[in-house]
Every structure is written in C-alpha cells, then in structure tokens.
C-alpha cells in the first residue's frame, strides 16, 4: 500500500473509533498507586510550531496473513535508498562510541545472523532481499536501535468537548542524534488479511520490526533509553547485565523491543490458531456472519506483575490502557513501578534522583539532584555525552510536568466541587510542542489513545526544522 497523506482533521482520528470503553483496571499489588512527586517549574519556550502545521509520516499496511518474508516488501522497496545507507548510519554510531569500524563489521558479519524470533528473522530476510542490505546490518539495526535515544513519554487524563468521562492518553516524543533516520519514520497498521480489521498500529523506522511506539485496543506502549543499570558497582551484576546484551546479539534471547511487540502484535502462530477458532465458530452459526478478530493480549495488571522479571536491557517503559498509565524503571530482571490515573511522565533519568520538593526557580543542571544524576551517568560514558543527556532529561520532564501543575493550579479542571484533573487534547499538543520537550534532535511527537487503539496525533520533524533560536532567552527564563 502506498503512503497516504491526511488532513489534520482526518488524522486526528486515524483508525476506527467507535463507542468508548472503560477498563477500570485495579492496580496490581506490586504497582505503586502514585506518580513521581517531581515538582518543577523549568520555564518552557513558546511552541516551536503551530499544531496546524503538521508533517505526517507515510502510512503503510502490514498484512500479517502473508508469509513473514513478504510483509515489509512494499515499504522496504519504497525506502530502499534509506535502508541502503545503514552502513553509514552504523559507522556514525560506532564513531560516536569510539569503537573500531572495521573490526565491528568483521565480527558482526560472523555473529549477527538472525534474531531470537524465527518469524522476525524471516521478516528481515524479506527486507534484505528487497533492498540488498546485508543481514548482519539489519540484525544490528534491530538489536541496537533502542540505544542512546532521549525520549519523553507519559500519560495524561484527557477530556474533550462535552465528554462526561475523560480517558488517559499516552504522549510520546522520540529524540535521537541520527538525522538520516528522520526520513525512515513511517506509520504502520497491522491487519489480519489485506481487507481485515486493524489489529494494532505503530510509528516506527523502516527496517525495524520490533516495537518502540505502538498501540492496540486496550494498550499502548513506548520505550525510553535508560543510561545505566542498577547495582553497577558490582562486578557480578555487570557480568550478568552485559551477558544479557551479548545473548540478545547472538539471538539467544529476544530484545526488549521484541517483547514490546509481543504485547501489541500477535505472532503468526497466534493468528493461525485464532483463524482456526474463527472458522469453527462460523461453521457452527447459521447466519455465517464473519467473526471479529480477538486475541488474548496481556492486561496492564499482567504487565505490572510479569514484565519486571523478564530479562531485558535497562529502559524506561510506559504502558497505558486508557484508564491508568504504568511506568516501569526497568533493570535486567527487576523494575520500579509507578502508576497514575491523572498524569505521569518519564524521560531519561530515575525518579530517585529527583528532589521531592524544590523551589520553582531552582530546577536546572546545577541542582544537587541533577549533578548526582549526571555523575552517575557519566561513569557509564562510552564516548558519549551521557551527562548532557541526563541534564536535558531533567529539563524536558520539568517542562511538561510544570505545564500540568500550572494547568491544575489554574482551576480550569474544577467541575463544581469535584476535582477532576484533566486537559483538552489541543492543550496537550501545545505542551508537547514546547522547547525543550521537542528539540533539535526530535524525530517525532505522538499522542496515542489506547481506549480506541488509535494515534490521535502524530507530528514528524525534518532535520533543522527545530532550531532553538531563543536558547539564551530560554536559559534566562529557567535560571
């Protein structure tokens, strides 16, 4: 399917919105029923661009009923010139971390032959055949893409127009210092058959078959980079952590993005099993009406209970079901959970480094919390400016958090004597368009609606489109 473009009004409801449903999920016992107490009034600059000036990525359909090697052929062919540049993209990445390029390519050709999932490996083979890109580069792309990304994710209660009940929406920005990949951002909708109903949706990079940002009815997910892991002063903890990364590279374990994909998109075996079940159901009925697609995805409670113990790299994971939003500060086999039904946000630092309460004018890169966090991250530096990343992380989270606090304090969310904290979608867009929430390295910003399983808004950015011309003024405001 060729890419399609849409007006903002059309795009605001990309998908198939119908009657709303409220899941009313009780928090699992292991989940904290609170969001981080992070009080910050870091001043945000004016919106970088107006909501009306949208740049929407191309939309492609991925037919899950096809053999895996055929699913991504169309999008791979259309973006062949981008995928062919993976050699240069990885050379840039290797330069940034100070690793020798020739040695990497030699070793990678020998060991990076497949992914843990046979189905996803077949998808990569199809992409490689359509583009001529070596398999080892596609494998490296899929197991290393989640490294060094600065992102902002979270959930907020949104109430539109005359709606009596609000619903949590999942906001997300993705920042990465790889400008060539800006042109590879696409929107994907996954169907069970060319004309089948949409099972899930994601915004992704062409050639990447895991999930960084995705949504289906009842759940949305996103991943943020975490610059360190727990107990990194222990040699044994480091051995176990980096051994896991090696196991992923060798295809002995799935990557964290493969785990997220499994929460959103059913595997081929699951689809085939369901197709058999549907056929039996239809054969028993006299009306022969087609059965709707059903798949037993995990709930937010299941994720909060089961996901922390799954071996993964360190990351910040955000999940929302439309009623609540769960954030996991994920380590290898543990996680710190944070839960909210009103507002919660995460960038690229742990909440333990945030002071519980500080004056509104004092949260910047000179605070003791920020300094401690930067020192911790810098100890893990491998040729990259991790200390800069976490300083910016504090600022990005402070900006969006202070916007929510100011909105609540303004009294605009008061409904008689009942306190109902919520925000309109257009106001949320304004918050997300402010600097530094979006910045020079932002590839896209999106809002997902897990209640309906749709993207309510996506805005992509070209290289150089965001220039912080008022950086000096902004710094003065936040000082």
């Amino acid at each position: 399917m060729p890419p399609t473009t849409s007006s903002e009004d059309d795009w605001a409801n990309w998908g198939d919105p119908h009657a709303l449903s409220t899941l009313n999920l009780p928090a699992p016992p292991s989940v904290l029923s609170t969001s981080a107490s992070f009080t910050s009034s870091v001043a945000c600059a004016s919106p970088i661009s107006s909501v009306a000036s949208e740049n929407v990525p191309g939309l492609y359909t991925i037919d899950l009923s096809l053999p895996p090697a055929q699913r991504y052929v169309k999008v791979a062919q259309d973006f062949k010139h981008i995928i062919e540049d993976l050699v240069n993209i990885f050379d840039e990445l290797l330069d940034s971390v100070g690793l020798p390029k020739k040695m990497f390519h030699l070793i990678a050709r020998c060991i990076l032959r497949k992914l843990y999932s046979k189905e996803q490996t077949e998808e990569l083979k199809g992409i490689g055949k359509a583009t001529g890109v070596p398999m080892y580069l596609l494998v490296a792309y899929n197991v290393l893409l989640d490294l060094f990304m600065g992102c902002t994710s979270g959930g907020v209660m949104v109430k539109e127009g005359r709606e009596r009940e609000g619903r949590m929406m999942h906001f997300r920005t993705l920042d990465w210092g790889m400008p060539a990949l800006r042109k590879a951002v696409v929107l994907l909708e996954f169907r069970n058959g060319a004309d089948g109903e949409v099972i899930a949706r994601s915004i992704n990079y062409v050639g990447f078959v895991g999930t960084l940002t995705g949504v289906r009815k009842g759940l949305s997910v996103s991943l943020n980079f975490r610059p360190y892991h727990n107990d990194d002063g222990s040699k044994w903890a480091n051995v176990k952590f980096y051994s896991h990364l090696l196991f992923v590279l060798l295809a002995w374990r799935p990557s964290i993005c493969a785990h997220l994909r499994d929460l959103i998109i059913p595997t081929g075996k699951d689809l085939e099993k369901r197709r058999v079940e549907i056929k039996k159901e239809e054969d028993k009925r006299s009306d022969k009406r087609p059965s709707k697609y059903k798949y037993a995805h995990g709930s937010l409670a299941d994720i909060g209970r089961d996901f922390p113990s799954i071996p993964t790299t360190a990351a910040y994971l955000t999940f929302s079901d439309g009623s609540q939003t769960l954030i996991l500060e994920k380590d290898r086999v543990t996680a710190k959970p944070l839960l909210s039904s009103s507002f919660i946000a995460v960038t690229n630092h742990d909440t333990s480094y945030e002071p519980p309460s500080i004056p509104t004018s004092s949260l910047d890169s000179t605070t003791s919390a920020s300094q401690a966090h930067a020192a911790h991250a810098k100890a893990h530096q491998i040729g990259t400016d991790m200390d800069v990343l976490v300083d910016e992380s504090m600022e990005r989270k402070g900006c969006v958090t202070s916007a929510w606090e100011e909105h609540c304090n303004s009294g605009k969310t008061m409904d008689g004597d009942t306190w109902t904290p919520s925000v309109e979608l257009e106001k949320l867009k304004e918050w997300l368009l402010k600097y530094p929430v979006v910045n020079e390295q932002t590839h896209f910003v999106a809002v997902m609606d897990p209640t309906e399983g749709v993207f309510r808004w996506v805005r992509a950015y070209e290289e150089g489109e965001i220039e912080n011309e008022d950086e000096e003024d902004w710094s003065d405001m936040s000082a």
Side-chain angles (χ1 to χ4, degrees), residues 311-331:
T312 69
T313 187
Y316 302 104
L317 305 175
T318 303
F319 308 92
S320 184
D321 65 359
S323 300
Q324 297 173 312
T325 297
L326 168 69
I327 289 174
L328 296 180
E329 293 183 357
K330 184 72 171 73
D331 202 57

Side-chain angles (χ1 to χ4, degrees), residues 210-370:
T211 297
L212 293 166
T213 310
V215 62
R216 46 100 172 157
K217 276 197 173 183
L219 184 68
S220 55
V221 303
S222 65
L223 178 147
N224 292 22
F225 169 61
R226 187 174 179 224
Y228 39 70
H229 69 94
N230 297 349
D231 197 22
D232 48 22
S234 164
K235 290 183 179 179
W236 181 233
N238 286 332
V239 167
K240 290 189 287 186
F241 181 81
Y242 291 109
S243 293
H244 166 76
L245 297 182
L246 178 61
F247 294 161
V248 172
L249 287 171
L250 295 175
W252 296 349
R253 286 180 182 171
S255 70
I256 192 169
C257 294
H259 284 299
L260 294 182
R261 166 176 164 152
D262 289 343
L263 293 173
I264 296 293
I265 305 167
T267 64
K269 290 182 179 179
D270 292 321
L271 282 171
E272 183 58 33
K273 180 181 178 181
R274 184 53 190 157
R275 277 194 287 268
V276 172
E277 292 173 351
I278 288 175
K279 182 66 168 57
K280 290 180 179 178
E281 292 173 4
E282 292 176 346
D283 288 343
K284 293 178 181 179
R285 292 206 308 260
S286 58
D287 56 17
K288 300 300 180 182
R289 290 181 292 104
S291 296
K292 285 193 172 183
Y293 171 80
K294 295 179 182 178
Y295 177 66
H297 294 283
S299 67
L300 202 64
D302 294 331
I303 294 169
R305 180 188 65 243
D306 300 333
F307 207 94
S309 62
I310 295 174
T312 69
T313 187
Y316 302 104
L317 305 175
T318 303
F319 308 92
S320 184
D321 65 359
S323 300
Q324 297 173 312
T325 297
L326 168 69
I327 289 174
L328 296 180
E329 293 183 357
K330 184 72 171 73
D331 202 57
R332 187 179 62 87
V333 290
T334 59
K336 176 182 177 181
L338 299 163
L339 187 73
S340 177
S341 58
S342 58
F343 173 87
I344 192 169
V346 64
T347 47
N348 303 105
H349 65 272
D350 289 5
T351 55
S352 60
Y353 286 90
E354 297 170 0
S357 179
I358 58 176
T360 58
S361 61
S362 64
L363 185 71
D364 56 31
S365 60
T366 65
T367 64
S368 58
S370 180

Side-chain angles (χ1 to χ4, degrees), residues 32 58 74 137 157 172 181 207 269 291 297 357 373 382 398:
L32 306 178
K74 172 59 179 173
L137 281 177
M157 183 60 66
R172 158 43 150 212
L181 288 181
K269 290 182 179 179
S291 296
H297 294 283
S357 179
H373 194 283
I382 312 176

